[in-house]
Amino acid sequence: MTVTDLKHISVKRISPSSLKVNDSRYGNEPFKDNIEHLESLEYVSRLKLFRAFLLGGKTLDQSSKTENIEEFQKAYGAFPDVPPGELTLDEVDILLKRLEAEIPQKAKKSLEQGIKLHFEEFCQSYNLDQVEQNVLALLVANNTGKAFRNFYEKSEFDPHAREDGGMSIGAILSILHPNYREQVTGRQYFSVDASLIKQEIVIPWDHYDNTTNILDVYVHLHERIVRYLIGDNNI
């Protein structure tokens, strides 16, 4: 099965508005609380993971040689709130564009109404740009989202599963950036002088230098950051 097949696989065609997902992810109403905001960010991260999985040309289910999206979704449980067979690469792209446009507007309204969104406050405090925010959201999802982590481990982007929610830089770039140019330019966000590394928001698991392939380096979030973002400083 080719990438072209995945984009145009014969399934029931649907619009994003008809997808049976949590309605709170859509529309212009503010988030009711910090957790609902994080749920939306996790869902977007999971969609990006699904997109990267399909674009990477991976076998949909290497153990049972699954050959269609419906069986893949059943096996991986990536989107339990979406009926099997109704989410293709085309739908993923449409959903991502919609959510990436709506979530910032919902967050802005939430903050204006005095609703605390720790992710937004953290990003503003450290002046993180959009790519840096996407990296942070991905690592938060792998730390706190069971559905994301299960899917990530089964998708085999990294050869070794990590208990600390860490991910390799290569996997992060593949998930966030669909094309090669963006993946190459995105490496700069993990250099020793980059904001994420310099401010110790993202921490390399092992020491690396000019001889190390940066794509193989694992990074993770400091636990204090995870605790702050989920609003629990007492664990």
Side-chain angles (χ1 to χ4, degrees), residues 20 68 75 116 119 137 198 217:
K20 298 178 182 178
N68 62 73
K116 294 185 71 64
F119 185 93
K198 196 171 184 178
V217 175

Side-chain angles (χ1 to χ4, degrees), residues 80-91:
D81 49 359
V82 178
E86 292 192 353
L87 188 59
T88 68
L89 191 54
D90 287 334
E91 270 81 33

Side-chain angles (χ1 to χ4, degrees), residues 14 54 76 95 117 206:
I14 52 177
L54 298 181
Y76 282 69
L95 272 170
L117 303 180
D206 299 306

Side-chain angles (χ1 to χ4, degrees), residues 19-220:
L19 282 172
K20 298 178 182 178
V21 298
N22 186 351
D23 290 340
S24 65
R25 295 189 184 110
Y26 299 104
N28 296 316
E29 293 300 314
F31 294 106
K32 65 182 181 182
D33 55 28
N34 183 63
I35 298 301
E36 186 174 78
H37 180 235
L38 291 178
E39 285 177 335
S40 292
L41 295 177
E42 186 275 337
Y43 192 77
V44 167
S45 294
R46 208 167 352 131
L47 284 170
K48 290 177 180 177
L49 175 57
F50 189 33
R51 177 185 63 186
F53 186 89
L54 298 181
L55 288 174
K58 293 177 179 287
T59 305
L60 295 183
D61 187 337
Q62 295 175 353
S63 61
S64 61
K65 301 187 182 303
T66 301
E67 296 181 353
N68 62 73
I69 296 293
E70 181 174 354
E71 290 302 316
F72 164 78
Q73 286 179 238
K74 286 181 179 178
Y76 282 69
F79 300 94
D81 49 359
V82 178
E86 292 192 353
L87 188 59
T88 68
L89 191 54
D90 287 334
E91 270 81 33
V92 170
D93 287 332
I94 293 171
L95 272 170
L96 278 173
K97 289 179 181 178
R98 178 174 179 178
L99 289 171
E100 289 176 332
E102 291 181 351
I103 288 176
Q105 294 301 316
K106 289 167 64 70
K108 183 174 182 292
K109 287 187 176 182
S110 302
L111 294 173
E112 289 173 347
Q113 295 185 18
I115 300 171
K116 294 185 71 64
L117 303 180
H118 298 302
F119 185 93
E120 295 294 324
E121 294 171 354
F122 182 88
C123 292
Q124 291 175 14
S125 176
Y126 283 90
N127 296 314
L128 301 186
D129 66 20
Q130 190 57 58
V131 174
E132 291 166 334
Q133 292 181 43
N134 291 340
V135 172
L136 179 61
L138 205 60
L139 287 168
V140 172
N142 202 34
N143 266 271
T144 63
K146 183 177 180 181
F148 181 93
R149 180 177 289 196
N150 287 344
F151 183 24
Y152 180 68
E153 290 178 353
K154 292 176 181 177
S155 65
E156 298 181 346
F157 273 95
D158 283 324
H160 306 293
R162 304 189 70 90
E163 296 298 327
D164 62 357
M167 304 170 71
S168 72
I169 293 174
I172 292 173
L173 293 175
S174 295
I175 293 168
L176 294 183
H177 303 300
N179 64 68
Y180 177 75
R181 177 182 292 275
E182 292 177 335
Q183 290 176 19
V184 171
T185 58
R187 294 162 65 111
Q188 64 183 303
Y189 286 93
F190 299 95
S191 68
V192 293
D193 294 325
S195 178
L196 291 174
I197 302 297
K198 196 171 184 178
Q199 299 187 86
E200 297 186 336
I201 298 171
V202 170
I203 304 173
W205 185 255
D206 299 306
H207 172 75
Y208 64 99
D209 53 33
N210 292 334
T211 66
T212 308
N213 185 341
I214 194 173
L215 300 181
D216 296 331
V217 175
Y218 279 80
V219 294
H220 67 282

